[in-house]
Amino acid sequence: MILRNFRRVLYPYNTDIINSTTISFSEKRCCGDTTPYAKKGL
Amino acid sequence: MVDVLIIGSGGAGLSAALAAKEAGASVLVVGKMYPTNSQTSMAQGGMNAALGNVEEDHVSLHIADTIKSAHGLCDEDMVRHMCADAPQTIAWLETLGMPFSRIEASHSDANHNSSLLTPHSSLKSVAQRQLGGASAKRACYAQDYTGLKLLHTLYDTCLKEGIAFLDEHFLLELIVSGDTVKGAVVLDIRSGEIKQIDAKSVIIATGGYGGIYHGYTTNMYGVSGDGIAAVLRAGGAVSDMEFVQFHPTGLKHSAILMSESARGEGGYLVNSKQERFVDELKPRDEVARAIFEELQKGEEVFLDLRHLGEEKLMTLLPQEVALCKLHEGVDPISELVSIKPVTHYTMGGIDVDYALEVNGIKGCFAVGECANAKVHGANRLGGNSLLEITAFGRFVGENAYKHAVYASSKPADNSVQHACQKKIERLFEQEAPIDFYTHRQALGRLFYENVGIIRDEVGLTQALEEVVATQVALKKMGIRDRSKTNNQNLVEFLEFENALMLAPTIISAALARKESRGAHYRSDYPQSDDAHFKKHIILQWKDKQ
């Protein structure tokens, strides 16, 4: 649905772009664990 | 053909230029304005480095604070790289003559962690202050002119090193052959000439996209994401575009920044009843939302600096005092300062790898606010932006040089330059019955209200519809000043086009992220959802225009 929205937005702008737009999710390079650093502190 | 072409002459671009030059590259820096007028000049509060000059601190705590503030969306290796480089970055700036504020050297001796530092004894006397979200007084500063003085220091050094500059040149397109960058096409604003610059490596350092929030941002009007839009058109990827940081304390009428250092030095936030309602030193996203909620209740919110006294204010925060008097007509020494949260920093941007090379375009690098190096995640920690531009600026300069050593020296053909020439000629010929300045203002208000501090499906969808309408209307917009030289109307229209191109990427990502995380707060999905959304959202056009 979101991709469709993005394509709709671009539709009047450039039809070549619409047909080739990708929106994706990546789990790589996500970190939220502060424990090792908080423990190491001072 | 130059080895390293740097587009953008703010702090990131200048740091990169110095590093590339030192490595042995021929360097050309291109900027649409003059270096000392860049957005870096507006940074006030400071630059984080765990020196421990004022109280106990450690690099690992700096890393922990940064990861915590990023709400799960930072890259641990990149954060470690930046934070570990911070003391050496401050030492490097010391050698260039950066005029940091100072403390008594004896004060620092008790807390100092000497194992972290290079043998620059003067480093011990660099003053450090508290900023929001930090577990120690960590931000090195130069009164409240830190960015300006950093910029002057870097620019002076660039001039001394003989680095070449092309000021007042606007980036039109990147030149990409296959999947490798070959240079860029720029508009010489002064002459109106379209120029092709051939380069072995290109560094984009053009700043963020906060200017989309026109009239509701601490950014200058020209922060329109020009480099990000050019990368997207050229086949590169952008990521985390939905994360836009709102600074808690913009002046109510002018949206000019009141630095976090004002709260770091002890300033209070109070409502109309003169009651404090939030811990002023929480991370920016939390403080901004607390202020926004007070405003929604009909309260006015003020920054109260009166108790700090004239001597402290004039010593540590002279710019804040001057800005309040100049733009709001109030004297913070004796009066409350009315404030509102406004857009300040964009965490998303050009998606880059560990070497800061753009994903999708070889030989093209990005650094600073235009890039998403994944050190800020969902919410940037105060004091980390000046650090990022300087530490990663030097890093990317070296990497761009290394790429240039092995890159082909065969220049690209001039097809992109011709296409740009035709586009500009069309703009000069076509009628412009619709005034784009009105739409620029409306887009800013639309984004502040619907893609702002608190978002929901209805508001975001409505924003998307209005962006569609504006893009349809764009065909009837254009320039009314037909001057070939010094045509500011043309530059502002090109900036508006870029901002409008990025607008749907921000909204689409904000719609897709059905949760709340850091600076992205959805009232219809108020909780974080790690299972589904502890992920980066990446947008890319697979086929180039």
Side-chain angles (χ1 to χ4, degrees), chain B residues 53-72:
Chain B
N53 284 357
V54 179
E55 59 187 28
E56 280 189 299
D57 199 4
H58 194 281
V59 170
S60 66
L61 288 179
H62 186 185
I63 296 170
D65 290 343
T66 303
I67 291 175
K68 186 179 174 191
S69 181
H71 294 274

Side-chain angles (χ1 to χ4, degrees), chain A residues 2 5-6 8-9 12-14 17 20-32 34 37 40-41, chain B residues 60 64 72 74-76 80 352 464-465 471 474-475 501 504 508 535-542 545:
Chain A
I2 302 309
N5 282 341
F6 189 59
R8 274 182 59 206
V9 168
Y13 200 71
N14 185 324
I17 290 170
S20 58
T21 301
T22 62
I23 181 167
S24 58
F25 293 85
S26 169
E27 289 178 22
K28 292 177 186 168
R29 307 182 69 185
C30 294
C31 166
T34 64
Y37 299 102
K40 226 189 284 178
Chain B
S60 66
C74 60
D75 183 300
E76 187 177 346
R80 198 165 48 228
V352 292
L464 203 57
E465 296 293 339
Q471 290 199 333
L474 187 66
K475 290 173 182 172
M501 178 170 285
S508 294
K535 298 169 182 173
H536 301 285
I537 294 181
I538 300 167
L539 284 149
Q540 188 171 21
W541 296 340
K542 287 292 182 192
Q545 286 189 83

